[in-house]
Amino acid sequence: MGRVANKVALITGGASGLGLASARRLAEEGASVIIADINQEQGVAAASGIAGARFELLDVSREAGWIALVDKVVADYGRLDVLLNSAGIVRLASIEETTEEMWRLVNAVGTDGTFFGCKHALRVMKVAGSGSIINMCSTASIQGAPQVFSYAASKSAIRGMTKSIAVLSAQNGYGVRCNSIHPGNMRTPMLEEVAEIVRENDPAAAQAMENIWVGEPVDVANMVLFLASDESSAVNGAALVVDNTTTITEGVVPK
Ligand SMILES: NC(=O)c1ccc[n+]([C@@H]2O[C@H](COP(=O)([O-])OP(=O)(O)OC[C@H]3O[C@@H](n4cnc5c(N)ncnc54)[C@H](O)[C@@H]3O)[C@@H](O)[C@H]2O)c1
């Protein structure tokens, strides 16, 4: 029997990177997976390659879409056991370079999107008396991350939301767990997008980036699997790093 057999899992950002790797891993271990993403073409292709998966178009930054999707999942499957909030975007800019538009965009997807997702998952999970909400944060909400200012702020907001939801649920006996995962650099299209900008603007920094540790999406997917499964039934409100010491080392972590 799979580690998440018969669980129903909704994954935002599931068309790419860490969300896609998590969708695959959860499906391998028996979950029914709903990939929700703003990228329809990629999302449909991703779902078609995963047994028991389906795609739903969702812009996480709009609450109305969330209400409709969560209600549809419950109507179709009878319940929602797992929500992974993995949708996210990054803008390479320090506080000095961050525009109002960048700030609002990064926070609309990361902060607002995660808030709406948690709110509506909690609404239906507490009725069922169980559920696992997993929020994709970053090492950027543990360390300073001067070159991705709005991103670090958004991930820190998500970290705070996560703990607040976990404590509310524990105190009220909702049976819903909420944890955050903090990956270091992982080999995904998002990291490649950042690396490309660095290559264009700062070849020396790009060269240095070639020599640092980068994890694989499945490393994060395995943590998602643990948090989604009943194996983690006492893990609630935790901030779990998947970073091979990146946040605690004095230097860079070599390849
Ligand atoms: N890759 C890394 O190194 C890394 C490190 C730490 C944290 N993270 C976080 O992990 C998560 C996934 O990142 P990734 O590397 O897989 O990125 P990715 O760019 O490969 O995937 C992100 C997905 O989110 C979707 N998305 C963007 N805006 C959306 C919206 N408004 N509504 C719905 N979907 C939307 C995209 O279409 C894409 O499929 C993000 O939250 C990211 O911040 C990534």
Side-chain angles (χ1 to χ4, degrees), residues 19 29 76 204 211 218 240 243 250:
E29 293 291 338
D76 291 355
N211 298 318
V218 72
L240 295 153
D243 76 343
E250 282 186 14

Side-chain angles (χ1 to χ4, degrees), residues 5-67:
N6 304 318
K7 288 193 189 289
V8 178
L10 176 58
I11 301 180
T12 74
S16 177
L18 306 183
L20 175 56
S22 301
R24 289 192 177 121
R25 200 67 195 91
L26 291 177
E28 278 168 12
E29 293 291 338
S32 297
V33 168
I34 302 111
I35 288 177
D37 205 288
I38 202 167
N39 187 331
Q40 177 147 17
E41 199 183 329
Q42 230 173 279
V44 168
S48 72
I50 301 174
R54 85 180 207 210
F55 173 75
E56 293 287 342
L57 186 62
L58 176 74
D59 177 352
V60 295
S61 68
R62 316 296 302 192
E63 186 172 18
W66 269 110
I67 294 169

Side-chain angles (χ1 to χ4, degrees), residues 34-148:
I34 302 111
I35 288 177
D37 205 288
I38 202 167
N39 187 331
Q40 177 147 17
E41 199 183 329
Q42 230 173 279
V44 168
S48 72
I50 301 174
R54 85 180 207 210
F55 173 75
E56 293 287 342
L57 186 62
L58 176 74
D59 177 352
V60 295
S61 68
R62 316 296 302 192
E63 186 172 18
W66 269 110
I67 294 169
L69 179 56
V70 167
D71 289 348
K72 189 175 176 187
V73 169
V74 173
D76 291 355
Y77 295 85
R79 62 191 196 282
L80 174 64
D81 299 304
V82 178
L83 169 66
L84 169 62
N85 285 304
S86 190
I89 57 171
V90 67
R91 288 293 175 271
L92 205 54
S94 70
I95 185 171
E96 295 166 305
E97 298 150 351
T98 297
T99 61
E100 181 179 354
E101 190 191 4
M102 283 178 196
W103 172 266
R104 296 213 185 285
L105 199 62
V106 169
N107 279 284
V109 179
T111 314
D112 300 356
T114 303
F115 158 51
F116 297 139
C118 290
K119 180 179 170 185
H120 293 289
L122 187 66
R123 170 169 65 81
V124 297
M125 286 174 172
K126 79 174 195 183
V127 174
S130 68
S132 174
I133 300 173
I134 305 159
N135 292 330
M136 207 62 90
C137 275
S138 166
T139 51
S141 61
I142 297 174
Q143 297 176 302
Q147 300 310 324
V148 287

Side-chain angles (χ1 to χ4, degrees), residues 136-206:
M136 207 62 90
C137 275
S138 166
T139 51
S141 61
I142 297 174
Q143 297 176 302
Q147 300 310 324
V148 287
F149 176 74
S150 49
Y151 180 83
S154 174
K155 294 303 188 189
S156 299
I158 296 170
R159 186 174 185 224
M161 275 185 230
T162 302
K163 291 186 188 297
S164 303
I165 294 161
V167 172
L168 180 83
S169 174
Q171 287 181 342
N172 291 348
Y174 289 167
V176 179
R177 298 182 293 109
C178 186
N179 294 287
S180 55
I181 300 180
H182 300 255
N185 286 332
M186 297 287 154
R187 205 176 312 281
T188 71
M190 179 186 281
L191 184 66
E192 182 49 34
E193 182 192 316
V194 170
E196 186 57 41
I197 296 169
V198 176
R199 275 196 288 272
E200 278 167 22
N201 296 304
D202 190 344

